[in-house]
Amino acid sequence: RHVAKFKLNMAATPNMGNRMLSVLRLVFDYAVEQQLVDSNPCVGIKRHPEAKRPRYITDAEMAAVRAVVSPRMQLMIDLLYLTGQRIGDVLALRRGAILPEGLAFKQEKTGARLALAWTPALRQCIDDALALHGDLPRVTIFFGRGSKPADYRTVRDQWEAGCVLAGVVDAHLHDIRAKSLTDAKRQG
């Protein structure tokens, strides 16, 4: 009953409530496994229904943000849009994933592997990203300090700063993926 009450208390923020229920479920799974408790009280508690984000970034809004961010961020925005991949998958894209036939992704969330065939725009974006840093020996296409993959928080902060400068309101970095998929669907 405590977990059910917790769920009800989180009704105002269903997405966060569901994330917290997931963590609680995992903690109790561990506790059951370690024989600290007899059962998982989260079993049988249904998740809150989550509404999909209705925000669509227009071409003009994306162009406005691109115009005020760094060249590196412009390339990230382009690659996110051209591939329709999750942010983490694009940031972790390795140079070894650049194949003669296209780009190879292993999606972190699902583990699925996929290959995207080259288009002129995708090829140009990758060539520009590689040229941005010259011949520096790096593992990933986009990197941060110490040759590590670019940090999500840093990229998100750069996107948000670009939105403020461009006067674009309520646009999340994740919305680029939704735009990419929506535009692809509209094009058939």
Side-chain angles (χ1 to χ4, degrees):
R1 73 174 179 253
H2 294 99
V3 176
K5 185 176 179 182
F6 173 76
K7 176 191 168 188
L8 288 175
N9 289 337
M10 295 299 295
T13 55
N15 293 6
M16 180 58 75
N18 287 341
R19 302 305 166 275
M20 293 176 80
L21 283 172
S22 293
V23 170
L24 193 58
R25 184 174 286 116
L26 290 171
V27 168
F28 273 106
D29 281 345
Y30 177 80
V32 168
E33 187 177 290
Q34 297 298 314
Q35 300 177 356
L36 300 172
V37 296
D38 294 328
S39 64
N40 186 338
C42 299
V43 172
I45 303 293
K46 293 182 181 175
R47 296 167 53 88
H48 291 285
E50 292 184 26
K52 291 189 177 187
R53 182 166 160 79
R55 179 72 160 96
Y56 174 80
I57 297 178
T58 65
D59 292 339
E61 288 174 323
M62 196 157 88
V65 174
R66 279 190 84 260
V68 297
V69 296
S70 69
R72 174 180 176 247
M73 188 66 196
Q74 289 174 357
L75 291 168
M76 285 184 196
I77 291 170
D78 292 346
L79 196 56
L80 287 166
Y81 179 73
L82 291 170
T83 64
Q85 295 301 298
R86 290 177 185 89
I87 299 157
D89 295 332
V90 168
L91 295 180
L93 187 63
R94 296 175 160 277
R95 289 177 181 240
I98 302 171
L99 306 173
E101 58 274 7
L103 288 179
F105 283 94
K106 180 175 187 251
Q107 296 179 331
E108 184 179 337
K109 182 174 180 179
T110 63
R113 294 182 183 274
L114 89 122
L116 298 177
W118 289 120
T119 63
L122 182 59
R123 182 77 247 188
Q124 186 64 52
C125 183
I126 292 296
D127 288 345
D128 290 348
L130 293 174
L132 188 64
H133 300 294
D135 293 332
L136 295 174
R138 306 291 185 196
V139 175
T140 57
I141 294 176
F142 298 111
F143 54 88
R145 291 187 177 129
S147 300
K148 295 179 182 175
D151 181 60
Y152 168 79
R153 288 172 299 202
T154 302
V155 173
R156 182 200 60 212
D157 291 347
Q158 290 171 355
W159 167 261
E160 289 174 358
C163 286
V164 169
L165 287 172
V168 176
V169 180
D170 189 36
H172 299 176
L173 190 56
H174 292 54
D175 295 337
I176 297 172
R177 182 170 194 244
K179 176 180 178 49
S180 173
L181 300 174
T182 299
D183 290 355
K185 187 175 182 180
R186 286 179 182 167
Q187 293 172 7

